[in-house]
PDB file of all heavy atoms in Angstrom:
ATOM      1  N   MET H   1      45.268  40.172 298.437  1.00 96.00           N
ATOM      2  CA  MET H   1      46.120  39.575 297.406  1.00 96.00           C
ATOM      3  C   MET H   1      45.297  39.081 296.216  1.00 96.00           C
ATOM      4  O   MET H   1      45.789  39.024 295.096  1.00 96.00           O
ATOM      5  CB  MET H   1      46.928  38.416 297.995  1.00 96.00           C
ATOM      6  CG  MET H   1      47.993  38.855 298.959  1.00 96.00           C
ATOM      7  SD  MET H   1      48.852  37.479 299.728  1.00 96.00           S
ATOM      8  CE  MET H   1      49.442  36.594 298.317  1.00 96.00           C
ATOM      9  N   TYR H   2      44.043  38.723 296.448  1.00 97.00           N
ATOM     10  CA  TYR H   2      43.181  38.213 295.382  1.00 97.00           C
ATOM     11  C   TYR H   2      42.521  39.346 294.602  1.00 97.00           C
ATOM     12  O   TYR H   2      42.418  39.300 293.380  1.00 97.00           O
ATOM     13  CB  TYR H   2      42.108  37.311 296.027  1.00 97.00           C
ATOM     14  CG  TYR H   2      41.218  36.586 295.058  1.00 97.00           C
ATOM     15  CD1 TYR H   2      41.577  35.348 294.554  1.00 97.00           C
ATOM     16  CD2 TYR H   2      39.996  37.123 294.668  1.00 97.00           C
ATOM     17  CE1 TYR H   2      40.754  34.666 293.678  1.00 97.00           C
ATOM     18  CE2 TYR H   2      39.172  36.456 293.793  1.00 97.00           C
ATOM     19  CZ  TYR H   2      39.555  35.233 293.304  1.00 97.00           C
ATOM     20  OH  TYR H   2      38.741  34.557 292.437  1.00 97.00           O
ATOM     21  N   ALA H   3      42.074  40.384 295.309  1.00 97.00           N
ATOM     22  CA  ALA H   3      41.242  41.417 294.688  1.00 97.00           C
ATOM     23  C   ALA H   3      42.053  42.513 293.998  1.00 97.00           C
ATOM     24  O   ALA H   3      41.619  43.034 292.968  1.00 97.00           O
ATOM     25  CB  ALA H   3      40.328  42.045 295.743  1.00 97.00           C
ATOM     26  N   GLU H   4      43.196  42.876 294.528  1.00 96.00           N
ATOM     27  CA  GLU H   4      43.930  44.010 293.965  1.00 96.00           C
ATOM     28  C   GLU H   4      44.387  43.794 292.528  1.00 96.00           C
ATOM     29  O   GLU H   4      44.290  44.716 291.724  1.00 96.00           O
ATOM     30  CB  GLU H   4      45.089  44.407 294.881  1.00 96.00           C
ATOM     31  CG  GLU H   4      44.586  45.023 296.165  1.00 96.00           C
ATOM     32  CD  GLU H   4      45.449  46.149 296.674  1.00 96.00           C
ATOM     33  OE1 GLU H   4      46.419  46.513 296.006  1.00 96.00           O
ATOM     34  OE2 GLU H   4      45.118  46.669 297.745  1.00 96.00           O
ATOM     35  N   PRO H   5      44.862  42.610 292.129  1.00 96.00           N
ATOM     36  CA  PRO H   5      45.166  42.429 290.711  1.00 96.00           C
ATOM     37  C   PRO H   5      43.942  42.542 289.811  1.00 96.00           C
ATOM     38  O   PRO H   5      44.029  43.037 288.686  1.00 96.00           O
ATOM     39  CB  PRO H   5      45.765  41.017 290.649  1.00 96.00           C
ATOM     40  CG  PRO H   5      46.276  40.765 292.011  1.00 96.00           C
ATOM     41  CD  PRO H   5      45.358  41.487 292.932  1.00 96.00           C
ATOM     42  N   LEU H   6      42.778  42.102 290.313  1.00 97.00           N
ATOM     43  CA  LEU H   6      41.553  42.219 289.524  1.00 97.00           C
ATOM     44  C   LEU H   6      41.132  43.679 289.390  1.00 97.00           C
ATOM     45  O   LEU H   6      40.691  44.113 288.320  1.00 97.00           O
ATOM     46  CB  LEU H   6      40.428  41.409 290.170  1.00 97.00           C
ATOM     47  CG  LEU H   6      40.644  39.895 290.242  1.00 97.00           C
ATOM     48  CD1 LEU H   6      39.469  39.236 290.931  1.00 97.00           C
ATOM     49  CD2 LEU H   6      40.855  39.316 288.866  1.00 97.00           C
ATOM     50  N   ILE H   7      41.282  44.441 290.463  1.00 96.00           N
ATOM     51  CA  ILE H   7      40.948  45.868 290.405  1.00 96.00           C
ATOM     52  C   ILE H   7      41.915  46.586 289.472  1.00 96.00           C
ATOM     53  O   ILE H   7      41.526  47.492 288.729  1.00 96.00           O
ATOM     54  CB  ILE H   7      40.961  46.468 291.822  1.00 96.00           C
ATOM     55  CG1 ILE H   7      39.862  45.842 292.681  1.00 96.00           C
ATOM     56  CG2 ILE H   7      40.784  47.969 291.780  1.00 96.00           C
ATOM     57  CD1 ILE H   7      39.928  46.199 294.144  1.00 96.00           C
ATOM     58  N   ASN H   8      43.163  46.167 289.485  1.00 96.00           N
ATOM     59  CA  ASN H   8      44.160  46.770 288.610  1.00 96.00           C
ATOM     60  C   ASN H   8      43.825  46.522 287.136  1.00 96.00           C
ATOM     61  O   ASN H   8      44.105  47.363 286.284  1.00 96.00           O
ATOM     62  CB  ASN H   8      45.544  46.217 288.947  1.00 96.00           C
ATOM     63  CG  ASN H   8      46.641  47.078 288.413  1.00 96.00           C
ATOM     64  OD1 ASN H   8      46.467  48.286 288.254  1.00 96.00           O
ATOM     65  ND2 ASN H   8      47.767  46.475 288.143  1.00 96.00           N
ATOM     66  N   ARG H   9      43.230  45.368 286.829  1.00 95.00           N
ATOM     67  CA  ARG H   9      42.810  45.067 285.455  1.00 95.00           C
ATOM     68  C   ARG H   9      41.739  46.036 284.972  1.00 95.00           C
ATOM     69  O   ARG H   9      41.622  46.270 283.770  1.00 95.00           O
ATOM     70  CB  ARG H   9      42.240  43.653 285.363  1.00 95.00           C
ATOM     71  CG  ARG H   9      43.255  42.596 285.471  1.00 95.00           C
ATOM     72  CD  ARG H   9      43.724  42.238 284.118  1.00 95.00           C
ATOM     73  NE  ARG H   9      44.751  41.220 284.219  1.00 95.00           N
ATOM     74  CZ  ARG H   9      45.522  40.875 283.237  1.00 95.00           C
ATOM     75  NH1 ARG H   9      45.405  41.460 282.071  1.00 95.00           N
ATOM     76  NH2 ARG H   9      46.430  39.959 283.395  1.00 95.00           N
ATOM     77  N   ALA H  10      40.957  46.573 285.890  1.00 95.00           N
ATOM     78  CA  ALA H  10      39.837  47.432 285.512  1.00 95.00           C
ATOM     79  C   ALA H  10      40.299  48.784 285.000  1.00 95.00           C
ATOM     80  O   ALA H  10      39.504  49.524 284.420  1.00 95.00           O
ATOM     81  CB  ALA H  10      38.890  47.618 286.691  1.00 95.00           C
ATOM     82  N   LYS H  11      41.558  49.136 285.196  1.00 95.00           N
ATOM     83  CA  LYS H  11      42.049  50.431 284.711  1.00 95.00           C
ATOM     84  C   LYS H  11      41.956  50.516 283.195  1.00 95.00           C
ATOM     85  O   LYS H  11      41.658  51.573 282.647  1.00 95.00           O
ATOM     86  CB  LYS H  11      43.497  50.639 285.131  1.00 95.00           C
ATOM     87  CG  LYS H  11      43.661  51.033 286.559  1.00 95.00           C
ATOM     88  CD  LYS H  11      45.127  51.280 286.828  1.00 95.00           C
ATOM     89  CE  LYS H  11      45.341  51.894 288.175  1.00 95.00           C
ATOM     90  NZ  LYS H  11      46.750  52.186 288.397  1.00 95.00           N
ATOM     91  N   GLU H  12      42.236  49.415 282.520  1.00 95.00           N
ATOM     92  CA  GLU H  12      42.145  49.394 281.064  1.00 95.00           C
ATOM     93  C   GLU H  12      40.899  48.599 280.681  1.00 95.00           C
ATOM     94  O   GLU H  12      40.846  47.377 280.863  1.00 95.00           O
ATOM     95  CB  GLU H  12      43.389  48.733 280.462  1.00 95.00           C
ATOM     96  CG  GLU H  12      43.386  48.732 278.957  1.00 95.00           C
ATOM     97  CD  GLU H  12      44.550  47.950 278.387  1.00 95.00           C
ATOM     98  OE1 GLU H  12      45.536  47.743 279.120  1.00 95.00           O
ATOM     99  OE2 GLU H  12      44.460  47.551 277.228  1.00 95.00           O
ATOM    100  N   ASP H  13      39.891  49.291 280.171  1.00 95.00           N
ATOM    101  CA  ASP H  13      38.618  48.656 279.842  1.00 95.00           C
ATOM    102  C   ASP H  13      38.711  48.030 278.451  1.00 95.00           C
ATOM    103  O   ASP H  13      38.467  48.683 277.443  1.00 95.00           O
ATOM    104  CB  ASP H  13      37.488  49.690 279.902  1.00 95.00           C
ATOM    105  CG  ASP H  13      36.123  49.025 279.819  1.00 95.00           C
ATOM    106  OD1 ASP H  13      36.062  47.791 279.776  1.00 95.00           O
ATOM    107  OD2 ASP H  13      35.114  49.758 279.805  1.00 95.00           O
ATOM    108  N   SER H  14      39.068  46.761 278.420  1.00 96.00           N
ATOM    109  CA  SER H  14      39.103  46.026 277.154  1.00 96.00           C
ATOM    110  C   SER H  14      38.289  44.747 277.327  1.00 96.00           C
ATOM    111  O   SER H  14      38.028  44.306 278.453  1.00 96.00           O
ATOM    112  CB  SER H  14      40.531  45.700 276.751  1.00 96.00           C
ATOM    113  OG  SER H  14      41.102  44.803 277.668  1.00 96.00           O
ATOM    114  N   MET H  15      37.903  44.154 276.228  1.00 97.00           N
ATOM    115  CA  MET H  15      37.112  42.926 276.295  1.00 97.00           C
ATOM    116  C   MET H  15      37.921  41.809 276.950  1.00 97.00           C
ATOM    117  O   MET H  15      37.375  41.005 277.707  1.00 97.00           O
ATOM    118  CB  MET H  15      36.680  42.510 274.889  1.00 97.00           C
ATOM    119  CG  MET H  15      35.721  41.343 274.876  1.00 97.00           C
ATOM    120  SD  MET H  15      34.201  41.648 275.789  1.00 97.00           S
ATOM    121  CE  MET H  15      33.422  42.827 274.729  1.00 97.00           C
ATOM    122  N   ALA H  16      39.220  41.757 276.669  1.00 97.00           N
ATOM    123  CA  ALA H  16      40.056  40.714 277.274  1.00 97.00           C
ATOM    124  C   ALA H  16      40.101  40.859 278.791  1.00 97.00           C
ATOM    125  O   ALA H  16      39.993  39.863 279.522  1.00 97.00           O
ATOM    126  CB  ALA H  16      41.468  40.792 276.697  1.00 97.00           C
ATOM    127  N   ASN H  17      40.245  42.096 279.293  1.00 97.00           N
ATOM    128  CA  ASN H  17      40.277  42.310 280.739  1.00 97.00           C
ATOM    129  C   ASN H  17      38.926  42.005 281.373  1.00 97.00           C
ATOM    130  O   ASN H  17      38.864  41.434 282.464  1.00 97.00           O
ATOM    131  CB  ASN H  17      40.707  43.741 281.057  1.00 97.00           C
ATOM    132  CG  ASN H  17      42.190  43.928 280.889  1.00 97.00           C
ATOM    133  OD1 ASN H  17      42.939  42.976 280.811  1.00 97.00           O
ATOM    134  ND2 ASN H  17      42.618  45.176 280.823  1.00 97.00           N
ATOM    135  N   ARG H  18      37.846  42.380 280.713  1.00 97.00           N
ATOM    136  CA  ARG H  18      36.513  42.072 281.248  1.00 97.00           C
ATOM    137  C   ARG H  18      36.302  40.563 281.337  1.00 97.00           C
ATOM    138  O   ARG H  18      35.771  40.060 282.329  1.00 97.00           O
ATOM    139  CB  ARG H  18      35.418  42.693 280.384  1.00 97.00           C
ATOM    140  CG  ARG H  18      35.205  44.170 280.647  1.00 97.00           C
ATOM    141  CD  ARG H  18      34.053  44.687 279.795  1.00 97.00           C
ATOM    142  NE  ARG H  18      33.835  46.083 280.046  1.00 97.00           N
ATOM    143  CZ  ARG H  18      32.913  46.563 280.885  1.00 97.00           C
ATOM    144  NH1 ARG H  18      32.135  45.740 281.540  1.00 97.00           N
ATOM    145  NH2 ARG H  18      32.783  47.847 281.050  1.00 97.00           N
ATOM    146  N   ARG H  19      36.711  39.845 280.314  1.00 97.00           N
ATOM    147  CA  ARG H  19      36.538  38.393 280.327  1.00 97.00           C
ATOM    148  C   ARG H  19      37.411  37.737 281.380  1.00 97.00           C
ATOM    149  O   ARG H  19      36.994  36.775 282.034  1.00 97.00           O
ATOM    150  CB  ARG H  19      36.850  37.818 278.949  1.00 97.00           C
ATOM    151  CG  ARG H  19      35.763  38.103 277.950  1.00 97.00           C
ATOM    152  CD  ARG H  19      36.079  37.542 276.596  1.00 97.00           C
ATOM    153  NE  ARG H  19      34.932  37.735 275.717  1.00 97.00           N
ATOM    154  CZ  ARG H  19      34.971  37.538 274.420  1.00 97.00           C
ATOM    155  NH1 ARG H  19      36.095  37.168 273.818  1.00 97.00           N
ATOM    156  NH2 ARG H  19      33.892  37.720 273.688  1.00 97.00           N
ATOM    157  N   LEU H  20      38.616  38.248 281.557  1.00 97.00           N
ATOM    158  CA  LEU H  20      39.513  37.684 282.556  1.00 97.00           C
ATOM    159  C   LEU H  20      38.955  37.908 283.967  1.00 97.00           C
ATOM    160  O   LEU H  20      38.933  36.985 284.792  1.00 97.00           O
ATOM    161  CB  LEU H  20      40.903  38.301 282.446  1.00 97.00           C
ATOM    162  CG  LEU H  20      41.934  37.609 283.306  1.00 97.00           C
ATOM    163  CD1 LEU H  20      42.650  36.555 282.483  1.00 97.00           C
ATOM    164  CD2 LEU H  20      42.905  38.594 283.852  1.00 97.00           C
ATOM    165  N   VAL H  21      38.484  39.122 284.246  1.00 97.00           N
ATOM    166  CA  VAL H  21      37.912  39.414 285.567  1.00 97.00           C
ATOM    167  C   VAL H  21      36.634  38.608 285.772  1.00 97.00           C
ATOM    168  O   VAL H  21      36.389  38.072 286.863  1.00 97.00           O
ATOM    169  CB  VAL H  21      37.660  40.934 285.724  1.00 97.00           C
ATOM    170  CG1 VAL H  21      36.864  41.233 286.969  1.00 97.00           C
ATOM    171  CG2 VAL H  21      38.981  41.670 285.765  1.00 97.00           C
ATOM    172  N   PHE H  22      35.827  38.463 284.722  1.00 98.00           N
ATOM    173  CA  PHE H  22      34.596  37.686 284.847  1.00 98.00           C
ATOM    174  C   PHE H  22      34.891  36.212 285.112  1.00 98.00           C
ATOM    175  O   PHE H  22      34.138  35.542 285.825  1.00 98.00           O
ATOM    176  CB  PHE H  22      33.728  37.830 283.596  1.00 98.00           C
ATOM    177  CG  PHE H  22      32.415  37.116 283.701  1.00 98.00           C
ATOM    178  CD1 PHE H  22      31.381  37.670 284.439  1.00 98.00           C
ATOM    179  CD2 PHE H  22      32.221  35.886 283.096  1.00 98.00           C
ATOM    180  CE1 PHE H  22      30.165  37.004 284.561  1.00 98.00           C
ATOM    181  CE2 PHE H  22      31.020  35.214 283.209  1.00 98.00           C
ATOM    182  CZ  PHE H  22      29.986  35.774 283.943  1.00 98.00           C
ATOM    183  N   SER H  23      36.007  35.708 284.576  1.00 97.00           N
ATOM    184  CA  SER H  23      36.354  34.309 284.824  1.00 97.00           C
ATOM    185  C   SER H  23      36.669  34.070 286.300  1.00 97.00           C
ATOM    186  O   SER H  23      36.465  32.971 286.807  1.00 97.00           O
ATOM    187  CB  SER H  23      37.547  33.889 283.963  1.00 97.00           C
ATOM    188  OG  SER H  23      38.730  34.498 284.418  1.00 97.00           O
ATOM    189  N   TYR H  24      37.143  35.095 286.997  1.00 97.00           N
ATOM    190  CA  TYR H  24      37.400  34.967 288.430  1.00 97.00           C
ATOM    191  C   TYR H  24      36.144  35.209 289.263  1.00 97.00           C
ATOM    192  O   TYR H  24      35.902  34.519 290.244  1.00 97.00           O
ATOM    193  CB  TYR H  24      38.476  35.963 288.884  1.00 97.00           C
ATOM    194  CG  TYR H  24      39.873  35.552 288.528  1.00 97.00           C
ATOM    195  CD1 TYR H  24      40.466  35.996 287.362  1.00 97.00           C
ATOM    196  CD2 TYR H  24      40.598  34.720 289.363  1.00 97.00           C
ATOM    197  CE1 TYR H  24      41.754  35.623 287.028  1.00 97.00           C
ATOM    198  CE2 TYR H  24      41.887  34.338 289.044  1.00 97.00           C
ATOM    199  CZ  TYR H  24      42.452  34.791 287.875  1.00 97.00           C
ATOM    200  OH  TYR H  24      43.728  34.410 287.547  1.00 97.00           O
ATOM    201  N   LEU H  25      35.342  36.198 288.897  1.00 96.00           N
ATOM    202  CA  LEU H  25      34.236  36.619 289.758  1.00 96.00           C
ATOM    203  C   LEU H  25      32.910  35.949 289.438  1.00 96.00           C
ATOM    204  O   LEU H  25      32.092  35.738 290.331  1.00 96.00           O
ATOM    205  CB  LEU H  25      34.063  38.140 289.692  1.00 96.00           C
ATOM    206  CG  LEU H  25      35.251  38.965 290.168  1.00 96.00           C
ATOM    207  CD1 LEU H  25      34.900  40.436 290.129  1.00 96.00           C
ATOM    208  CD2 LEU H  25      35.680  38.562 291.552  1.00 96.00           C
ATOM    209  N   GLN H  26      32.628  35.673 288.165  1.00 95.00           N
ATOM    210  CA  GLN H  26      31.374  35.038 287.741  1.00 95.00           C
ATOM    211  C   GLN H  26      30.138  35.833 288.178  1.00 95.00           C
ATOM    212  O   GLN H  26      29.126  35.269 288.580  1.00 95.00           O
ATOM    213  CB  GLN H  26      31.282  33.605 288.288  1.00 95.00           C
ATOM    214  CG  GLN H  26      32.350  32.680 287.779  1.00 95.00           C
ATOM    215  CD  GLN H  26      32.202  32.366 286.302  1.00 95.00           C
ATOM    216  OE1 GLN H  26      31.108  32.077 285.853  1.00 95.00           O
ATOM    217  NE2 GLN H  26      33.278  32.470 285.563  1.00 95.00           N
ATOM    218  N   ASN H  27      30.236  37.154 288.142  1.00 96.00           N
ATOM    219  CA  ASN H  27      29.101  38.006 288.498  1.00 96.00           C
ATOM    220  C   ASN H  27      29.150  39.232 287.603  1.00 96.00           C
ATOM    221  O   ASN H  27      30.024  40.097 287.763  1.00 96.00           O
ATOM    222  CB  ASN H  27      29.180  38.400 289.973  1.00 96.00           C
ATOM    223  CG  ASN H  27      27.963  39.159 290.435  1.00 96.00           C
ATOM    224  OD1 ASN H  27      27.402  39.964 289.712  1.00 96.00           O
ATOM    225  ND2 ASN H  27      27.548  38.888 291.658  1.00 96.00           N
ATOM    226  N   LYS H  28      28.205  39.330 286.662  1.00 96.00           N
ATOM    227  CA  LYS H  28      28.272  40.408 285.674  1.00 96.00           C
ATOM    228  C   LYS H  28      27.981  41.771 286.286  1.00 96.00           C
ATOM    229  O   LYS H  28      28.487  42.777 285.811  1.00 96.00           O
ATOM    230  CB  LYS H  28      27.338  40.138 284.501  1.00 96.00           C
ATOM    231  CG  LYS H  28      25.873  40.107 284.832  1.00 96.00           C
ATOM    232  CD  LYS H  28      25.076  39.788 283.589  1.00 96.00           C
ATOM    233  CE  LYS H  28      23.593  39.741 283.889  1.00 96.00           C
ATOM    234  NZ  LYS H  28      22.827  39.429 282.691  1.00 96.00           N
ATOM    235  N   TYR H  29      27.203  41.816 287.371  1.00 97.00           N
ATOM    236  CA  TYR H  29      26.916  43.103 288.012  1.00 97.00           C
ATOM    237  C   TYR H  29      28.166  43.663 288.702  1.00 97.00           C
ATOM    238  O   TYR H  29      28.427  44.861 288.646  1.00 97.00           O
ATOM    239  CB  TYR H  29      25.767  42.959 289.013  1.00 97.00           C
ATOM    240  CG  TYR H  29      24.509  42.456 288.359  1.00 97.00           C
ATOM    241  CD1 TYR H  29      24.025  41.187 288.620  1.00 97.00           C
ATOM    242  CD2 TYR H  29      23.830  43.249 287.441  1.00 97.00           C
ATOM    243  CE1 TYR H  29      22.882  40.713 288.010  1.00 97.00           C
ATOM    244  CE2 TYR H  29      22.683  42.789 286.819  1.00 97.00           C
ATOM    245  CZ  TYR H  29      22.215  41.519 287.109  1.00 97.00           C
ATOM    246  OH  TYR H  29      21.084  41.053 286.484  1.00 97.00           O
ATOM    247  N   ALA H  30      28.919  42.776 289.337  1.00 97.00           N
ATOM    248  CA  ALA H  30      30.152  43.214 289.993  1.00 97.00           C
ATOM    249  C   ALA H  30      31.182  43.652 288.954  1.00 97.00           C
ATOM    250  O   ALA H  30      31.889  44.644 289.150  1.00 97.00           O
ATOM    251  CB  ALA H  30      30.717  42.093 290.856  1.00 97.00           C
ATOM    252  N   VAL H  31      31.276  42.934 287.840  1.00 97.00           N
ATOM    253  CA  VAL H  31      32.225  43.303 286.793  1.00 97.00           C
ATOM    254  C   VAL H  31      31.850  44.650 286.190  1.00 97.00           C
ATOM    255  O   VAL H  31      32.708  45.510 285.959  1.00 97.00           O
ATOM    256  CB  VAL H  31      32.293  42.202 285.710  1.00 97.00           C
ATOM    257  CG1 VAL H  31      33.128  42.653 284.522  1.00 97.00           C
ATOM    258  CG2 VAL H  31      32.863  40.926 286.296  1.00 97.00           C
ATOM    259  N   THR H  32      30.548  44.871 285.973  1.00 97.00           N
ATOM    260  CA  THR H  32      30.091  46.149 285.436  1.00 97.00           C
ATOM    261  C   THR H  32      30.393  47.282 286.402  1.00 97.00           C
ATOM    262  O   THR H  32      30.878  48.344 285.999  1.00 97.00           O
ATOM    263  CB  THR H  32      28.577  46.094 285.146  1.00 97.00           C
ATOM    264  OG1 THR H  32      28.330  45.020 284.250  1.00 97.00           O
ATOM    265  CG2 THR H  32      28.083  47.388 284.547  1.00 97.00           C
ATOM    266  N   GLU H  33      30.129  47.082 287.680  1.00 96.00           N
ATOM    267  CA  GLU H  33      30.420  48.088 288.706  1.00 96.00           C
ATOM    268  C   GLU H  33      31.914  48.390 288.755  1.00 96.00           C
ATOM    269  O   GLU H  33      32.320  49.546 288.850  1.00 96.00           O
ATOM    270  CB  GLU H  33      29.939  47.589 290.072  1.00 96.00           C
ATOM    271  CG  GLU H  33      30.263  48.491 291.227  1.00 96.00           C
ATOM    272  CD  GLU H  33      29.328  49.672 291.353  1.00 96.00           C
ATOM    273  OE1 GLU H  33      28.288  49.691 290.692  1.00 96.00           O
ATOM    274  OE2 GLU H  33      29.666  50.589 292.124  1.00 96.00           O
ATOM    275  N   LEU H  34      32.722  47.341 288.670  1.00 96.00           N
ATOM    276  CA  LEU H  34      34.175  47.499 288.731  1.00 96.00           C
ATOM    277  C   LEU H  34      34.694  48.301 287.545  1.00 96.00           C
ATOM    278  O   LEU H  34      35.475  49.239 287.714  1.00 96.00           O
ATOM    279  CB  LEU H  34      34.848  46.128 288.773  1.00 96.00           C
ATOM    280  CG  LEU H  34      36.368  46.089 288.790  1.00 96.00           C
ATOM    281  CD1 LEU H  34      36.890  46.759 290.051  1.00 96.00           C
ATOM    282  CD2 LEU H  34      36.851  44.665 288.713  1.00 96.00           C
ATOM    283  N   PHE H  35      34.238  48.005 286.350  1.00 97.00           N
ATOM    284  CA  PHE H  35      34.768  48.667 285.168  1.00 97.00           C
ATOM    285  C   PHE H  35      34.144  50.036 284.924  1.00 97.00           C
ATOM    286  O   PHE H  35      34.755  50.870 284.269  1.00 97.00           O
ATOM    287  CB  PHE H  35      34.581  47.777 283.931  1.00 97.00           C
ATOM    288  CG  PHE H  35      35.655  46.735 283.803  1.00 97.00           C
ATOM    289  CD1 PHE H  35      35.534  45.508 284.433  1.00 97.00           C
ATOM    290  CD2 PHE H  35      36.801  46.991 283.081  1.00 97.00           C
ATOM    291  CE1 PHE H  35      36.525  44.558 284.329  1.00 97.00           C
ATOM    292  CE2 PHE H  35      37.793  46.043 282.964  1.00 97.00           C
ATOM    293  CZ  PHE H  35      37.659  44.826 283.589  1.00 97.00           C
ATOM    294  N   ARG H  36      32.949  50.293 285.445  1.00 95.00           N
ATOM    295  CA  ARG H  36      32.314  51.604 285.243  1.00 95.00           C
ATOM    296  C   ARG H  36      32.660  52.598 286.342  1.00 95.00           C
ATOM    297  O   ARG H  36      33.160  53.682 286.079  1.00 95.00           O
ATOM    298  CB  ARG H  36      30.794  51.446 285.174  1.00 95.00           C
ATOM    299  CG  ARG H  36      30.299  51.088 283.823  1.00 95.00           C
ATOM    300  CD  ARG H  36      28.822  51.394 283.694  1.00 95.00           C
ATOM    301  NE  ARG H  36      28.334  50.818 282.467  1.00 95.00           N
ATOM    302  CZ  ARG H  36      27.146  50.275 282.312  1.00 95.00           C
ATOM    303  NH1 ARG H  36      26.319  50.222 283.329  1.00 95.00           N
ATOM    304  NH2 ARG H  36      26.789  49.770 281.165  1.00 95.00           N
TER     305      ARG H  36
END
């Protein structure tokens, strides 16, 4: 329930989505892996 909405955000690679996902995860390597 926590991860699937964040993964769904990664479909659209925008700065707003990256910042929103980073606010939850606080790990730039995981955010980069998720969006790439």
